[in-house]
Amino acid sequence: MKHFSFTIILAGLVLVACEGPMGPAGVAGTNGNNGTDGAAGKDANNVCLGCHASTNMAAKDVEYRQSKHFTGVTSLSRNTKYCARCHTNEGFKEITSTGTFVVNNDIPSATRITCGTCHAHRSFDFSADTNAQTLRTTTPVLLNYTINLVATDFGKINNLCNTCHQIRGVTSEKYTDSLGVVRSFSQLPFFPFSPTKNDLATVNYQVGQSFSVHDGNQSNLFKGINGYEYTGQTYTRTWQHSANTCTTCHMNKVDPVRKVGGHSLIVNTLACEQCHDTEKIAPTQAKIDAKRIELGELLTARKVFRKSTSTAGVVSYSAVNTHDFYGRLFPTTASTTLFGTALVAANTVSPTSGLVVYGNTVTMATDASYATRMGRPWKYGELGAAYNYGYINSELSMGVHNPVYAMQLLQKSIDWLKANP
Ligand code: HEC
Ligand code: HEC
Ligand code: HEC
Ligand code: HEC
Ligand code: HEC
Ligand code: HEC
């Protein structure tokens, strides 16, 4: 049996910039360590200083300052009720401690993601899985947009990252229409896709509805789940790197000169070359991107999407509403009827409470976009193809997180559209 006269040694240890907790009293001993029965105490200098050595902590701080978690934005929109859970330190601490989906209210004084957002000592038992003991959460993630709340287990460290790096749920509150009626806004009215769905069933894509997945969908692609999967098709969920964690690549070997690796969360691509003789990222992305454009073009030809080119020459595709805010079908010819064509967010900040005053309104106008309207509801298969386009397009790795599943989602969408003109 082993006895650690741990606290006694710890008492003599100076931790950097933080105060250690008081442990239980140690047992008196014979080995000069004040532990009765002999065995030498575990050296807290090694246990704690493995991480807390000031050079190590300082290095982490320098790396962290390269990351978007530090350099990103925390202004107004990100600290509101629907954004703070992922975009701020206080919001994340709140939802992980209360187990809620959104924070209780806007957090005007919220600060950016920092060490203590991700880290908290959950125990000092470092006998196994040392790093995971210092993470704020490692429990399976209740994905924001699922109705039946089944937690998805991405693996310990991934659960930390994916509590934020997932599809976002509701994003706004209420809209007031021209009659002064307050209506609620639904971000993902079509989700989750039922496993017994009918690809040919119809669905309105109304003004005010959104099926956007937001920027943080890395979790789902990495695991090869939650794309729109067509009836009768099979999908491959795993690939070469599926057994990795997010940190295998995003906290890989630090290169202080190139400012990559470690807590910068920027992938040190040179370190990939220990296995890959050729660079894998660019060719993988090029292949997926070509497929993404093929799907975008097909959806444009069908008037599910509208294509636009910016003055800088950047091509983008956006989904075209079939129905207005009140559920009236948009015609395909010019009309003098006024439709609920757009929602305007005119949110302001209360000078007294600092909280956001939601002032969203519905714009009534004639429809200038009739030439690019489809004139009928979508089929679920079309919604699925449009959703899959967004799933890949707003996932910043452009397929690298799971090239196999990414390619299948795009290709099977294309195949379905061609088979169902
Ligand atoms: C696996 C790495 C690791 C080990 C081992 C470790 N710590 Fe920490 N500890 C951290 C990190 C990371 C933080 C968060 C740093 C921050 O917020 O600035 C932290 C924070 C703390 C804090 C601040 C309070 C808190 O919970 O956030 C205390 C106190 C602390 N550690 C004590 C200890 C003691 C005592 C030991 C040895 C028994 C120890 N740590 C071992 C990584 C470690
Ligand atoms: C508290 C929520 C949260 C957690 C936890 C979190 N992230 Fe993030 N992450 C974000 C947000 C929000 C951004 C975007 C910041 C911005 O641009 O304002 C981001 C940005 C990033 C980026 C840069 C993306 C870009 O646009 O360049 C990477 C890479 C990243 N995170 C990886 C990770 C990894 C790996 C983990 C787990 C170790 C993790 N994140 C944990 C919320 C989180
Ligand atoms: C479920 C977590 C989550 C919620 C909720 C969320 N975001 Fe994000 N957001 C992220 C993550 C993670 C990233 C960074 C990863 C990426 O860009 O792929 C990000 C990136 C962004 C970006 C692009 C990077 C930047 O900072 O410019 C914007 C803009 C943004 N979010 C705005 C918002 C707004 C506004 C809300 C609230 C309406 C919101 N987000 C709610 C997780 C979330
Ligand atoms: C986005 C979340 C996130 C943020 C922010 C973050 N860490 Fe970490 N940190 C992690 C994760 C995840 C690990 C475990 C990595 C692993 O085991 O693969 C880790 C590991 C560590 C370790 C132990 C491993 C080692 O190499 O010593 C220390 C120490 C540490 N972090 C300190 C810090 C400090 C200091 C800060 C702020 C400057 C910070 N971390 C900010 C997620 C984060
Ligand atoms: C096999 C290695 C690998 C794994 C594992 C991995 N990523 Fe990535 N990730 C990449 C590469 C490569 C890119 C694209 C190139 C880049 O931006 O560095 C990327 C891009 C990203 C981006 C966008 C970064 C940006 O600046 O545009 C985010 C955010 C991200 N990953 C988060 C995650 C999360 C969260 C996980 C775990 C669920 C994860 N990654 C797992 C390799 C990986
Ligand atoms: C431990 C070895 C190892 C490391 C390290 C490694 N990979 Fe891989 N990777 C493989 C193997 C094996 C394959 C499958 C065979 C192949 O495609 O070469 C693969 C395949 C890939 C593919 C798929 C290529 C395709 O088009 O099918 C990508 C993308 C990739 N790796 C990215 C990365 C990135 C990014 C890193 C660095 C963060 C990395 N890998 C580090 C072993 C590794």
Side-chain angles (χ1 to χ4, degrees):
M1 208 172 124
K2 251 185 177 172
H3 290 265
F4 296 155
S5 46
F6 171 76
T7 25
I8 291 154
I9 298 175
L10 185 62
L13 169 76
V14 179
L15 280 173
V16 186
C18 59
E19 209 181 308
M22 179 71 85
V27 222
T30 55
N31 64 350
N33 251 347
N34 207 21
T36 6
D37 57 336
K42 187 163 180 172
D43 187 351
N45 281 303
N46 290 334
V47 179
C48 310
L49 289 186
C51 294
H52 282 279
S54 53
T55 45
N56 189 41
M57 285 304 206
K60 296 289 178 290
D61 192 49
V62 170
E63 293 157 27
Y64 154 76
R65 282 165 193 270
Q66 313 295 336
S67 79
K68 275 266 177 83
H69 292 158
F70 177 73
T71 61
V73 186
T74 33
S75 57
L76 172 61
S77 61
R78 315 294 156 79
N79 55 31
T80 57
K81 184 170 174 183
Y82 299 101
C83 317
R85 59 159 286 157
C86 301
H87 280 272
T88 72
N89 173 48
E90 291 75 8
F92 190 69
K93 286 181 177 167
E94 181 179 328
I95 62 118
T96 48
S97 85
T98 57
T100 47
F101 282 89
V102 293
V103 297
N104 187 43
N105 211 337
D106 304 338
I107 311 178
S109 56
T111 56
R112 65 182 67 260
I113 296 166
T114 177
C115 315
T117 316
C118 294
H119 287 290
H121 275 294
R122 294 181 304 134
S123 92
F124 287 94
D125 176 6
F126 296 124
S127 52
D129 211 351
T130 307
N131 284 349
Q133 292 304 328
T134 68
L135 300 179
R136 179 166 295 280
T137 176
T138 55
T139 49
V141 184
L142 290 167
L143 296 172
N144 275 312
Y145 55 94
T146 48
I147 290 170
N148 46 343
L149 300 176
V150 182
T152 304
D153 192 355
F154 295 94
K156 279 187 186 154
I157 288 176
N158 292 354
N159 288 337
L160 167 76
C161 309
N162 294 349
T163 300
C164 297
H165 285 265
Q166 58 158 310
I167 296 175
R168 86 182 161 190
V170 157
T171 56
S172 187
E173 195 135 86
K174 305 282 184 206
Y175 284 88
T176 307
D177 71 10
S178 53
L179 305 171
V181 179
V182 177
R183 297 173 182 261
S184 42
F185 173 79
S186 53
Q187 164 77 359
L188 295 167
F190 314 111
F191 292 83
F193 292 120
S194 154
T196 57
K197 71 186 160 30
N198 174 358
D199 295 335
L200 292 167
T202 56
V203 55
N204 297 351
Y205 175 43
Q206 287 183 206
V207 171
Q209 295 179 329
S210 165
F211 57 90
S212 139
V213 298
H214 191 50
D215 301 86
N217 191 31
Q218 290 82 23
S219 49
N220 289 294
L221 179 57
F222 189 59
K223 206 171 164 70
I225 55 171
N226 291 324
Y228 183 93
E229 300 186 354
Y230 289 91
T231 311
Q233 298 293 316
T234 51
Y235 292 81
T236 313
R237 306 193 188 282
T238 55
W239 69 297
Q240 183 64 40
H241 284 284
S242 291
N244 290 161
T245 62
C246 308
T247 50
T248 312
C249 301
H250 287 279
M251 278 194 190
N252 63 355
K253 192 173 187 312
V254 179
D255 182 339
V257 178
R258 287 162 55 241
K259 300 190 167 144
V260 294
H263 274 60
S264 78
L265 302 179
I266 301 167
V267 177
N268 180 353
T269 48
L270 287 184
C272 311
E273 292 177 5
Q274 85 193 60
C275 296
H276 295 150
D277 42 7
T278 54
E279 222 262 89
K280 289 283 178 197
I281 301 172
T284 301
Q285 290 180 326
K287 231 167 39 186
I288 303 285
D289 204 37
K291 203 44 88 178
R292 170 190 71 86
I293 292 166
E294 188 184 335
L295 178 58
E297 290 295 323
L298 211 53
L299 287 166
T300 303
R302 243 174 138 96
K303 297 189 175 173
V304 170
F305 277 2
R306 183 182 295 139
K307 180 178 172 176
S308 54
T309 309
S310 73
T311 42
V314 180
V315 173
S316 60
Y317 303 91
S318 53
V320 186
N321 290 113
T322 56
H323 293 67
D324 85 342
F325 186 79
Y326 302 98
R328 295 176 301 179
L329 183 70
F330 279 121
T332 53
T333 50
S335 147
T336 53
T337 313
L338 293 180
F339 290 98
T341 52
L343 299 176
V344 179
N347 300 342
T348 51
V349 181
S350 159
T352 46
S353 69
L355 303 182
V356 173
V357 181
Y358 290 91
N360 302 322
T361 54
V362 181
T363 304
M364 299 301 295
T366 54
D367 179 32
S369 306
Y370 56 86
T372 50
R373 302 275 187 207
M374 190 183 230
R376 62 164 174 81
W378 280 354
K379 297 189 177 91
Y380 255 86
E382 291 171 327
L383 166 65
Y387 168 79
N388 286 342
Y389 176 91
Y391 180 108
I392 299 300
N393 187 50
S394 62
E395 203 281 344
L396 296 174
S397 79
M398 194 44 77
V400 172
H401 287 142
N402 191 331
V404 179
Y405 187 68
M407 191 51 107
Q408 286 180 355
L409 278 188
L410 295 172
Q411 187 61 55
K412 287 173 194 284
S413 301
I414 291 169
D415 294 346
W416 187 89
L417 290 173
K418 288 188 172 161
N420 296 275

